Amino acid sequence: MAISKEIYKALEAVVGSQYISDDPVICEGYRSGPGGYESGLGYERVMTKVPGCVIMPRTTEEVQRIVKVCYRNDVPYVPYSTGFYGSRSHPHVEDALLIDLKRMNDFKLDEKHFYVEVGPGMIYSPIQEECMKHGAYVVIGGGGAQASAIANLIGDGWSPLSHRIGLPHRRILGTEVVMPDGELLKLGSLAEGDDPFWGEGPGPDLRGLLRGYTGLRGCLGIVTRMAIKTLPFQPERLEPTGISPNTALALPEKRVKWINFVVPSKDAQVQAMREIGHAEIAGAVTKVPLFWRAIAKAECKEEFWDLWSKENEETVANFFIVRVLLIGYTSEEQMEYDERVLMDIMSEVGGIARRTKPSDESWIKNADSAGMWLMCGGYVSVDYVIETLSQSPDHGPSYADLKRKYTPPLMPDYGDPGWFQSFELGHQGYSEFLVYWDQDDDTNPVDQFYVDTSKMNIKNRFYTSLLGPHQPLYLTGPQYGPNYHEFLLKVKNEFDPKWKSHPPVPLAHDVFVERAPWMHHMKDWESPDDLPK
Amino acid sequence: MDVRSRLCEIVGADNCSDDPVQLRIYESDFSYTPAGAANYVAKPASAEEVAGIVKLCNENRIPVVPCSSQVHFYGATIPKEGGLVLDLSRMAKVLEIDPDNRRVRFEAGVTWGQLTRELKEKGFRVIMPLTPPAQRSVLTDFLEREEPTNQVYDYGEPLQAMEVVWPTGEIFRMGSASVNGYPDSPSKGGNPSGPGLDFYRFFQCAQGTMGVVTWTNLKIESIPKRDKILFAPIDDLDHVMDFLHRILPRRIGQEVLLLNQVDLAAILAEEWPGDFTRLKDALPPWTLILVISGLLRRPEEKLAYEESFLDQVTRNEFSDLRLGENLPGFPGLRNRLLPILRNPWPADVPHWKNRVKGACQSLFFHTRPGKAQQFVTKVNEIAARYGYPGQDIGIYIQPIEHNRACRPEFTFFYNPADEDETATIRALYREAAAALLKEGAVFTRPYGDLAPIVYERAASYAAALKRIKKVFDPNNIMNPSNLCF
């Protein structure tokens, strides 16, 4: 049902005529792509629609009123902040209202109690800058410093800095959520008063509704305000240097230092990470794909391919680097202590320190997402999962094996097994596998590869990030939990019985498989007949 | 077949009962919560048996009260609507100790005494709350969000992936333990989150109302190689909070806590009541306890840089703070207190909280450290109105998350045999809770009388909780009449 004039007027009354439009030109600006995460794939082509109307609220109360109008009038709506997740963040049904949250960019920093309070339009870049001015820091997720901090915290929210800082879920403090029917739910200390400094309860913790391991893509309400815990950093200034795009933060070497080590084998990489965790040192410990080095060095696509084409299966197979970030949280003496312990460990595993620039180009400053499109134009992370260092090192190679079957159109990367690292001082391990493709190729096999990874994870008993709305729910549901999909759908039906909050998520990937003829042969799982068509 | 017979089929005749004598041990606890009788008790030995019992109860609308510990302080396991006590004490296996990932997996009935003993043999420890009773369930304490005395780890929460039985009887594994065939899988259960939703959050502080957790994975830490325990006598709470703001964000220390003279005396006293009275009179109003530790590698060097930092801060900025290895006037304290902080309270010694007068009522919440003194003053004022002397209130303040928050705990000791005194404490507790809530105290664990006070204020939260509860427990069988259910 198109948004009628009456409904439009009701919505206009909420935000004023300046902040609502159904002008096709304006709405076209919210078409998914071109470019961006997962862009150009079948999911985008089949599932995304240009919104019928766009609205830009300023306050939680406005969001509530908008959602209530939608719910009363059966208008589907989609919350949208900075849209990193491309096609997943855009409407999937005709004539949906896109609620653009960028105007909700309030920002308050509480230095003493280590949190920032933000709206969904607030991005990481200024948050990190302000935090570091006041002795704190945050994790900028892989989505990059241009991503909405709230969207990132309820979707993903990690980086190599998670070696020390840990799971993003733990940093969500007092939060306001406009539920799918427009009712306001206040979480943590906001449930009992006006102070957002605390995240839990009271009683059972409804932060469980905000996300699973990864996010729900707006199908269970809209977060309009969140206090995000920051972590104490060290006191020295990290100076911005360089000219865009070659910018960096110059590091105060006695307090912050990256050191790259070459180690003799993958076992040595894992052992080094474990020992660093057991010794409770360092601010980040990671191993990244070899081609990231080419990305970092290249200033254009051609240069990347010049560099990358010099590599081969052997160089990739023998690339064993461990990148360690030391931070003098306590003092220079503490950092010296960490470095001595680190050198002990590296000596034991046969690691050799390489000359490392005294600067940070990515993880403290801005994460790396912008570089991901450099090589081919198309990019997606097919898994980014926190488990343990028992799973993480073996997870990537299983992806690399599967990927061979789909290369091309996937970029030839000589069997690179991706990225893994320590989380939470070695209590957890992380693995991420990224794929790239040329958008001018037939990309249907990329869609097929994506679903095939789920089957591989199920078969090999790997935990995976791509659950919930990220893969067909009826494929993964019976295999994890088991039957987590049944409980997720019960919760969805309870809070959004009319399925107006970003329909048909969390069943969107199931619907995609039904609609895309090139996916039909992949479907070897049961699903109900009444899926939205 | 009647309910008892079906229970016997599931767990065996030796492990279920409707004998009122056997049921009596579940009727009351160390709180003032009125006694309540169950109709049955069942002691399952596996998740499958738990599932069978819960399913049976759900079909017959029989309330289920899960009970993992052998000692209780908050009234949460007292049956309030009859039904069945699900005694998980037979589920007491430590299933795995995984040194590589510093992880332990254990069942709900595993106690502090058992787990710390088994871990110690392997060189590991659990960061623990202050003096948990040895016979209390470790899983329950972490589910109920007891705050550890060690707050140096940025990642906080030690619970990892766990298994539950939903109120409708399905067995469900959460987080990365949700993979098929777990634990025979590369996925070890290190991540509590997902699948689909963060279901594990619904079980936190749920007092058994959302289902039954059968086992969990938990982070463990290496036992330090060297420790040094430091003390400072404190008169001015605001001043010590400033000091903690200065040092804890710099990641100094392992265990860090503040105790007033009543609580510290109760913890230290050996001869009762003589020791307790003498210590209470002699100890400073507050004592800051700070443990610094050398870990697995270069332990002396780690101690050295922490001491160097503390020395600089105390010399240059807090010269009046007498931080040292001895508390003036109490020689030998350092040798006594560290084992107390690192071990559960022994099962054969009455818990210090109950030694003072036989029973106690604790009021605890979260707040900003700068407001701690305000709350102390307020509680003293209210207590005075009830004739409870301020100098008899036990106070423990736990700095949290690098001292960005803290958890004050006020303990009112009373004689449970004295009905008037019990009634007075109950009235004092309720008035204090309501007053503190109004002044911004954040109550995350609303037990008993506290629940209606908190949920009246958190009305929208309570409404959403009830909807979630209905999704998972449509017949409201799980521990009814607790929280807002």
Side-chain angles (χ1 to χ4, degrees), chain A residues 313-502:
Chain A
E313 296 259 351
E314 198 182 338
T315 59
V316 168
N318 291 304
F319 179 73
F320 303 114
I321 194 164
V322 177
R323 224 165 122 62
V324 183
L325 176 68
L326 296 178
I327 301 174
Y329 296 104
T330 309
S331 58
E332 291 178 10
E333 290 94 323
Q334 176 250 300
M335 194 158 121
E336 289 162 9
Y337 162 83
D338 276 22
E339 190 162 353
R340 287 193 295 276
V341 170
L342 176 63
M343 291 306 173
D344 290 347
I345 292 167
M346 286 301 171
S347 162
E348 288 162 20
V349 303
I352 297 166
R354 293 298 166 110
R355 199 169 65 83
T356 312
K357 284 194 280 188
S359 58
D360 177 83
E361 284 76 34
S362 53
W363 293 115
I364 300 174
K365 180 171 73 80
N366 64 351
D368 251 353
S369 67
M372 295 295 112
W373 286 273
L374 184 66
M375 303 86 79
C376 303
Y379 147 65
V380 66
S381 287
V382 281
D383 215 334
Y384 32 94
V385 61
I386 300 168
E387 213 299 297
T388 57
L389 280 168
S390 297
Q391 170 173 306
S392 305
D394 296 333
H395 201 202
S398 66
Y399 273 91
D401 282 347
L402 183 64
K403 187 183 167 188
R404 291 177 201 279
K405 184 176 155 191
Y406 295 94
T407 304
L410 296 180
M411 177 185 122
D413 63 2
Y414 312 118
D416 194 290
W419 163 18
F420 70 88
Q421 68 163 82
S422 149
F423 263 47
E424 303 201 344
L425 294 179
H427 286 291
Q428 295 163 336
Y430 177 75
S431 51
E432 177 160 345
F433 197 78
L434 311 93
V435 294
Y436 311 85
W437 64 91
D438 188 333
Q439 290 177 317
D440 294 333
D441 278 348
D442 169 14
T443 59
N444 291 351
V446 182
D447 301 330
Q448 293 158 356
F449 170 70
Y450 194 84
V451 168
D452 224 3
T453 64
S454 243
K455 296 181 180 182
M456 178 200 73
N457 283 319
I458 290 166
K459 184 177 162 214
N460 294 337
R461 302 178 174 187
F462 286 126
Y463 196 45
T464 169
S465 60
L466 296 186
L467 298 170
H470 305 264
Q471 289 277 9
L473 193 60
Y474 282 96
L475 164 60
T476 63
Q479 305 298 332
Y480 290 87
N483 298 322
Y484 80 89
H485 63 303
E486 291 178 2
F487 301 102
L488 171 61
L489 290 172
K490 280 182 189 174
V491 172
K492 168 76 176 169
N493 286 327
E494 172 63 30
F495 287 99
D496 186 10
K498 292 161 85 173
W499 281 59
K500 294 300 164 197
S501 189
H502 201 358

Side-chain angles (χ1 to χ4, degrees), chain A residues 110 112-115 135 137 163-167 169-170 173 181 184-189 191-193 195-214 216 220 229-235 255 274-275 277-280 329-331 333-334 337-338 340-341 344-345 348 386-391 424-428 458 460-463 467-468 478-484 486-488 490-491 494-497, chain B residues 98-103 145 147 153-157 159-160 166 168 170-173 175-176 178-181 184-206 209-210 219-222 242 245 249-252 254 295-298 301-302 305 308-309 312 366-370 400-405 437 440-446 454-455 457-461 464-465 467-468 470-472 483 485:
Chain A
D110 189 323
K112 199 168 184 183
H113 302 96
F114 288 99
Y115 69 85
Y137 72 140
H163 165 71
R164 174 71 68 159
I165 292 180
L167 283 171
H169 322 60
R170 315 194 201 284
L173 305 176
D181 57 2
L184 183 62
L185 173 60
K186 295 182 177 186
L187 305 174
S189 52
E192 296 175 35
D195 187 345
F197 83 106
W198 198 249
E200 295 167 339
D205 195 336
L206 291 180
R207 284 181 298 177
L209 288 170
L210 295 176
R211 60 182 293 168
Y213 165 59
T214 44
L216 292 161
L220 212 50
K229 185 162 71 178
T230 65
L231 274 301
F233 197 39
Q234 53 75 48
R255 295 303 282 256
R274 282 197 197 286
E275 291 299 328
H278 287 214
E280 303 184 15
Y329 296 104
T330 309
S331 58
E333 290 94 323
Q334 176 250 300
Y337 162 83
D338 276 22
R340 287 193 295 276
V341 170
D344 290 347
I345 292 167
E348 288 162 20
I386 300 168
E387 213 299 297
T388 57
L389 280 168
S390 297
Q391 170 173 306
E424 303 201 344
L425 294 179
H427 286 291
Q428 295 163 336
I458 290 166
N460 294 337
R461 302 178 174 187
F462 286 126
Y463 196 45
L467 298 170
Q479 305 298 332
Y480 290 87
N483 298 322
Y484 80 89
E486 291 178 2
F487 301 102
L488 171 61
K490 280 182 189 174
V491 172
E494 172 63 30
F495 287 99
D496 186 10
Chain B
D98 173 0
D100 280 350
N101 297 308
R102 306 207 307 292
R103 172 185 67 95
R145 299 193 294 236
E147 285 292 350
Y153 299 108
D154 288 357
Y155 42 77
E157 304 178 286
L159 272 186
Q160 296 176 296
W166 291 116
T168 38
E170 298 95 334
I171 298 173
F172 186 77
R173 294 184 310 276
S176 62
S178 64
V179 298
N180 252 328
D184 180 19
S185 53
S187 180
K188 297 299 176 196
N191 183 351
S193 185
L197 287 171
D198 274 349
F199 295 105
Y200 78 101
R201 290 279 191 212
F202 303 146
F203 284 77
Q204 290 183 312
C205 212
T209 60
M210 299 299 285
K219 290 190 192 103
I220 53 179
E221 308 293 350
S222 304
D242 288 342
H245 273 305
R250 303 267 71 90
R251 293 168 176 79
I252 289 288
Q254 293 271 319
L295 305 178
L296 294 183
R297 291 174 181 268
R298 298 180 181 262
E301 294 173 38
K302 180 161 172 56
Y305 82 69
S308 162
F309 179 82
Q312 282 175 41
H366 290 88
T367 186
R368 294 165 180 252
I400 296 173
E401 297 177 356
H402 311 302
N403 206 42
R404 65 169 214 89
L437 186 64
V442 175
F443 292 94
T444 63
R445 299 167 58 189
V454 170
Y455 286 120
R457 193 170 173 95
S460 78
Y461 194 88
L465 265 186
R467 293 176 76 178
I468 279 287
K470 198 178 98 193
V471 166
F472 296 108
L483 296 167
F485 309 130

